[in-house]
Amino acid sequence: MTHRAPEVWIGEDAGTLAREGARRIAEAARRAITARGRFVIALCGGNTPRRLYRVLAAEEHGVDWGRVVVLFGDERMVPWDHPESNFHMVRETLLDHVPVPRQNIHPMPTDLTPREAAAFYEREIREVLDPRDPRIDVVLLGMGPDGHTASIFPGSPLLIEGEGEGGRRGTAFAQATLCVAVTDAPKPPERRLTMTPFLINHARQVLVVVAGEDKVAAVSAALESDAEPGEIPIRAISPEGGILTYLIDRRAARALTNPPR
Ligand code: 6PG
């Protein structure tokens, strides 16, 4: 697999990182809306993304929210009003505070069986994306201390190259798997839904936000090791025709031997 080197940006602390992430998302939104009339973003859960959503909601970034379409990169199989729900968190921190039309918001369903929910959401993604160019503009991701991203955990069958990732590189979009159920996540809750590496790697831009002391080893493994994606899932993320950017705070980046200046 050929990996284009990711862009790495290191910020002073988690707050600086949240501001930089929000700034970059707003810039991508303005560009996408100018070029294609709308901006499709996939959001995720986690504490680092949560801070970013708060900044995006609080500050004026010149985003035309009426043209923003929101998908979810992963979700926990709990009701939408449950404190563990990613949709609940994103609603509280961002969506309740900006004028995104309700019909542009696509939470993952959690009131079906995981398998049915994944199939339902896969159809929804296909309806949302432009069939002539089915690419998400920005996929926002966090990373766990074990290197997981979205709900793709170490040892996931999605990480078997060319077999499980949703389709081999080169697989036609129509034939690929875009969303799957996870029933044995090591981080609770066990039952989740996640976009596949195939879909994420189809994005125009993937933005990974990582902060905190507990991420030091995972950041080094992600960026400066030969670890297999099966061990460090984020290493499966490498958008083919897009840009991969890591925004990391100084604490999480402290073991990098070759940090950007
Ligand atoms: C989830 C998330 C998950 C998260 C990482 C990082 O639903 O659990 O989508 O992939 O982004 O675990 O989370 P933190 O920023 O809280 O460390």
Side-chain angles (χ1 to χ4, degrees):
M1 203 189 287
T2 46
H3 290 271
R4 194 159 90 187
E7 180 203 355
V8 179
W9 177 96
I10 298 177
E12 207 36 55
D13 53 30
T16 318
L17 187 156
R19 286 194 294 281
E20 180 66 12
R23 191 189 68 73
R24 289 186 185 227
I25 288 174
E27 188 184 306
R30 291 192 302 266
R31 252 189 286 122
I33 291 168
T34 304
R36 291 176 296 281
R38 66 177 193 155
F39 175 61
V40 183
I41 184 166
L43 300 177
C44 61
N47 292 317
T48 322
R50 182 198 307 259
R51 271 177 174 270
L52 187 157
Y53 301 146
R54 290 217 166 97
V55 176
L56 207 48
E59 293 176 6
E60 182 46 63
H61 293 281
V63 174
D64 180 354
W65 290 102
R67 293 175 179 273
V68 174
V69 177
V70 177
L71 292 168
F72 281 76
D74 75 321
E75 183 55 281
R76 296 109 181 248
M77 292 300 284
V78 294
W80 283 346
D81 57 358
H82 192 281
E84 293 261 27
S85 157
N86 284 343
F87 177 46
H88 177 72
M89 184 276 275
V90 174
R91 201 160 42 176
E92 281 207 314
T93 53
L94 176 65
L95 300 176
D96 281 352
H97 311 283
V98 292
V100 181
R102 177 63 192 87
Q103 68 274 16
N104 288 9
I105 301 174
H106 302 273
M108 289 178 157
T110 58
D111 54 354
L112 304 170
T113 67
R115 215 182 243 269
E116 287 166 355
F120 180 97
Y121 203 67
E122 170 139 347
R123 285 195 297 275
E124 191 148 327
I125 296 167
R126 290 187 188 281
E127 275 166 31
V128 167
L129 297 181
D130 177 351
R132 290 161 305 172
D133 187 14
R135 305 172 77 191
I136 299 173
D137 291 304
V138 171
V139 176
L140 179 71
L141 296 173
M143 178 179 75
D146 58 356
H148 84 261
T149 194
S151 286
I152 310 166
F153 291 90
S156 162
L158 285 173
L159 299 168
I160 301 168
E161 195 180 331
E163 290 176 35
E165 59 195 5
R168 281 176 199 278
R169 284 182 181 249
T171 299
F173 194 84
Q175 265 75 57
T177 304
L178 309 181
C179 180
V180 297
V182 176
T183 52
D184 57 355
K187 174 182 174 186
E190 271 189 329
R191 295 181 345 139
R192 294 160 171 255
L193 299 175
T194 189
M195 284 184 176
T196 57
F198 179 94
L199 177 59
I200 298 171
N201 286 335
H202 222 73
R204 289 196 164 79
Q205 190 177 347
V206 178
L207 204 53
V208 183
V209 290
V210 193
E213 191 62 34
D214 59 333
K215 308 287 174 65
V216 171
V219 165
S220 296
L223 295 172
E224 293 186 346
S225 82
D226 293 327
E228 292 296 328
E231 296 167 62
I232 302 290
I234 196 122
R235 287 180 55 81
I237 303 307
S238 166
E240 226 163 338
I243 305 163
L244 173 61
T245 305
Y246 279 79
L247 305 183
I248 311 174
D249 81 337
R250 205 164 283 288
R251 281 202 302 170
R254 78 175 157 75
L256 288 180
T257 54
N258 194 14
R261 288 164 189 280

